[in-house]
Amino acid sequence: MSSSENAQAYWSENLRIIITYLSVWFVVSYVCGILLVEQLNAIPFFGFPLGFWIDQQGSIFVYVGLIWAYAFSMNKLDEKYDVHE
């Protein structure tokens, strides 16, 4: 594979990873935190309505998990294309 094809394949996989994690971020923050909050509030979670908990606390846990998952995914991608440190 030439250097140009290698760079194109790397960027293509990088965009796929970014779009995947941004989709998860959108669903948690916008869909669960705003659009479905009334339905989720009907479910109790640790004494709080689930919609409130997801909006206030759960989204933070998801964001931290997304940061960790992105770093892990990018390290694996860098090793795959031999551009790691």
Side-chain angles (χ1 to χ4, degrees):
M1 190 182 293
S2 73
S3 178
S4 176
E5 291 173 344
N6 202 21
Q8 183 65 30
Y10 176 83
W11 184 244
S12 175
E13 286 192 49
N14 186 10
L15 285 178
R16 184 185 54 77
I17 290 169
I18 291 171
I19 290 170
T20 301
Y21 291 135
L22 282 176
S23 299
V24 171
W25 170 76
F26 176 79
V27 167
V28 170
S29 64
Y30 188 74
V31 175
C32 292
I34 296 173
L35 297 179
L36 297 178
V37 74
E38 295 299 324
Q39 291 84 357
L40 291 173
N41 278 340
I43 304 168
F45 186 75
F46 291 115
F48 297 99
L50 182 60
F52 172 78
W53 189 86
I54 286 177
D55 200 31
Q56 298 300 315
Q57 299 295 325
S59 60
I60 295 171
F61 294 136
V62 171
Y63 299 152
V64 170
L66 286 173
I67 292 168
W68 180 85
Y70 178 74
F72 180 78
S73 298
M74 288 308 297
N75 283 337
K76 300 242 339 156
L77 185 65
D78 288 349
E79 289 177 9
K80 179 180 177 181
Y81 287 95
D82 198 27
V83 293
H84 58 288
E85 298 173 348

